[in-house]
Amino acid sequence: LRASEEGGNMTTATMPKSGWEQLMDQEGTKKHGAHNERNQGPIADGLLSLLPQCTASSPGVEVHVLEIASGTGQHAAYMPTRLRNVIWHPTDFDPACVASTREWTKDMDMVREPKILDASSAPDSWPFDQLFDLVYNCNTIHLAPTEVMVGLVTGAAKFCKQGAKLVIYGPFKIDGKHTSESNIQFDATLRARNPSWGVRDYEELDRLAQSVGFTKPQRLEMPANNFLCSWERGPK
């Protein structure tokens, strides 16, 4: 999410490239991240527990998923193979990510053409004319200014159907505390690279989600000190 690069401090000029920067430096259009392979299976299991309509194929049923910040596009290629009845709508702010996602998904009928989307922009500017059954985001809000988190959740509230899910995956502080020593170190590294980045407080995200109309918060523990957080869109 290139918007997350704004506002970096002067020390970043001498810091080694981040894992994401190294990933995007890979040759060719189609990028690959090993972390995506590691987390996609557990995330798919979590999504299936939240979306009973995706556990078995049902003729005529379409479950439309908006993915915000698709990154390499690996999840856009993998998730529709695990979730039945899904029509996947990938997006990203970075044209290189959109191009990579296109390469991963170009032969998949259940994946729509990737679109450019700045999640921090006003929801009225988002390029959609439909509502979604799920808005999904993975590993973004700790790598971006808080404006991206606010925009993502606010936009999701606009484009979710009543009863639809908002699902956000990543590391979080719980009750203001990190859940592991490795997350403390990770958070310090992020903030050294850009003071507007950092591991977010789950409670802050939950308050935001509920303030724009989401209800029924759930938080599933995932491998590597991550969480799969979900909410349901209440009445509009």
Side-chain angles (χ1 to χ4, degrees), residues 140-181:
T140 297
I141 63 175
H142 58 285
L143 295 169
T146 54
E147 290 82 2
V148 172
M149 179 177 73
V150 173
L152 188 162
V153 174
T154 304
K158 177 178 175 64
F159 287 98
C160 273
K161 299 175 183 177
Q162 182 175 331
K165 299 287 188 179
L166 167 63
V167 175
I168 298 177
Y169 170 93
F172 290 95
K173 290 184 283 186
I174 307 298
D175 295 324
K177 298 179 180 179
H178 289 287
T179 59
S180 69
E181 182 63 33

Side-chain angles (χ1 to χ4, degrees), residues 3-231:
S4 67
E5 296 173 2
E6 297 175 359
N9 60 28
M10 293 299 293
T11 62
T12 59
T14 57
M15 294 181 72
K17 287 188 175 182
S18 68
W20 179 255
E21 289 168 332
Q22 294 176 43
L23 188 159
M24 296 308 292
D25 280 347
Q26 293 173 2
E27 293 185 2
T29 302
K30 188 177 182 180
K31 311 300 182 183
H32 174 271
H35 64 288
N36 292 321
E37 289 188 353
R38 290 193 298 268
N39 64 29
Q40 62 190 12
I43 291 174
D45 292 341
L47 291 176
L48 285 168
S49 74
L50 297 168
L51 301 167
Q53 67 270 45
C54 294
T55 57
S57 298
S58 300
V61 174
E62 291 185 347
V63 180
H64 287 266
V65 179
L66 170 59
E67 182 183 19
I68 297 177
S70 298
T72 64
Q74 288 167 259
H75 284 190
Y78 176 81
M79 296 300 172
T81 70
R82 291 286 313 279
L83 278 64
R84 302 295 179 250
N85 312 311
V86 155
I87 305 295
W88 201 269
H89 300 255
T91 70
D92 205 280
F93 182 81
D94 189 336
C97 291
V98 169
S100 180
T101 299
R102 186 178 292 114
E103 285 298 307
W104 276 98
T105 62
K106 61 185 178 181
D107 297 321
M108 300 180 69
D109 292 339
M110 69 285 282
V111 181
R112 296 294 184 253
E113 172 67 16
K115 292 184 176 182
I116 293 284
L117 175 65
D118 180 355
S120 66
S121 63
D124 287 344
S125 71
W126 287 23
F128 309 110
D129 58 4
Q130 69 176 92
L131 299 179
F132 296 92
D133 301 285
L134 167 66
V135 174
Y136 166 75
N137 172 258
C138 175
N139 279 337
T140 297
I141 63 175
H142 58 285
L143 295 169
T146 54
E147 290 82 2
V148 172
M149 179 177 73
V150 173
L152 188 162
V153 174
T154 304
K158 177 178 175 64
F159 287 98
C160 273
K161 299 175 183 177
Q162 182 175 331
K165 299 287 188 179
L166 167 63
V167 175
I168 298 177
Y169 170 93
F172 290 95
K173 290 184 283 186
I174 307 298
D175 295 324
K177 298 179 180 179
H178 289 287
T179 59
S180 69
E181 182 63 33
S182 62
N183 277 7
I184 294 174
Q185 297 171 3
F186 181 49
D187 185 51
T189 300
L190 292 174
R191 294 180 187 276
R193 186 171 292 275
N194 188 317
S196 68
W197 298 2
V199 175
R200 305 302 176 192
D201 286 292
Y202 169 77
E203 288 75 19
E204 179 184 4
L205 177 61
D206 182 46
R207 286 193 298 271
L208 171 62
Q210 297 204 44
S211 75
V212 295
F214 287 102
T215 63
K216 301 180 181 179
Q218 296 187 57
R219 189 178 72 229
L220 302 177
E221 291 191 18
M222 304 294 282
N225 305 307
N226 290 298
F227 294 92
L228 193 69
C229 305
S230 68
W231 297 262

